[in-house]
Amino acid sequence: MGTINDHLIEIDDIPEYPSSLYLAHEEVCNYTCTFCTSRVSWRKEPPEVRNAGYEAITEKLKPVLPHVKRISAHGRGELFCARGILKTLSEWRPLAPAEECSASLETNGSLFDAEHWKQIENLGQYNLRVAITVTSFDEYTYRLLSGTTLPIQQLIDNLHFVRSLREKGIINHLEIASVVQERNFWQMPEFARRCVEEFGADTVRLRPYLVHGSNNPIRDWFTDMRGAYHPYREEYRQIMQDPIFQHPKVLDWGGGRDSQTPDLLPFLIRREKVRAIKVMTAEILKWPFRKAKRLLNRLRFGI
Ligand code: SF4
């Protein structure tokens, strides 16, 4: 962007400790979202090796912590399941005055109740931003997309608790976010309205699903209803005409526009050649049978 000179720093000016700390190393979660790109089950190393690594990081961060002014946690796991990250956050005692310090948290909200909040309530004295990612307020859709058996009411109760923290000024900015996809786009007008009116969100971030390989290619293709060849694309465009998406608090990152996803066959060829060949072979083999069935129907029923 031609701004590299603004970001250069003399090597002698690099401070001994960083002033910002981004914690997203502890990949643990109580959900298994269908669109997740950081599933624990994909990790190769045994859990004890992984946990030893997390503990080592937690220890190494201790001398850094007092010098940190901005801290953020998660985006690649669930905050309230990440014991090491929670410990680091709870032990953060910055040397800088509280008004110069800020914290930013991202969580799926399923465990954000009074008891869990207690572990890190020290963050409430700083400028605190919280983002909560929610797939849906409909029980079936929520459970399906989040890969959980938790009741939606638990999350709704937690959102009311978070709203109370926002109203007391303990949280300074509350964002509720969702990944808009084939299963939930129909619900987005009502979803956005509830986020603003019922849960007091300062912003509602609607990020469209991106085909980045979190699923097998066919499912990936079908999940992206913004594709120009998707059967639900027109419905998606109509839904996105709802006036709620013009609300200043609602940030629709998709903007009702098409994605770059091509038709299924070119998509498959690009992503998985062997699968594409299998699908095409099956189609060619099935073709004479389909033709014969149609002919038979015409003879029998005249259709
Ligand atoms: S809540 Fe986040 S980290 Fe956990 S499974 Fe869902 S997308 Fe992945």
Side-chain angles (χ1 to χ4, degrees), residues 253-272:
W253 284 9
R257 292 182 299 272
D258 287 351
S259 69
Q260 300 296 314
T261 306
D263 206 352
L264 182 58
L265 194 55
F267 182 78
L268 278 179
I269 291 170
R270 199 171 72 191
R271 276 276 295 274
E272 238 180 270

Side-chain angles (χ1 to χ4, degrees), residues 62-80:
K62 281 186 176 168
V64 176
L65 275 182
H67 306 276
V68 168
K69 287 183 178 178
R70 288 173 296 277
I71 204 162
S72 83
H74 252 317
R76 286 186 66 79
E78 170 43 33
L79 175 69
F80 289 105

Side-chain angles (χ1 to χ4, degrees), residues 29 31-33 35-38 76-78 108 133:
C29 194
Y31 282 4
T32 46
C33 297
F35 50 90
C36 183
T37 52
S38 56
R76 286 186 66 79
E78 170 43 33
N108 64 34
T133 47

Side-chain angles (χ1 to χ4, degrees), residues 35 134-138 141-142 145 177-189 191 206-207 209 223 225 236 239:
F35 50 90
V134 179
T135 50
S136 170
F137 294 128
D138 166 67
T141 316
Y142 162 69
L145 291 180
S178 193
V179 177
V180 185
Q181 49 196 294
E182 172 267 327
R183 277 280 159 170
N184 66 5
F185 79 87
W186 326 81
Q187 303 162 7
M188 281 303 125
F191 178 90
L206 303 177
R207 177 170 78 70
Y209 179 81
T223 307
M225 75 290 137
Y236 166 68
I239 295 267

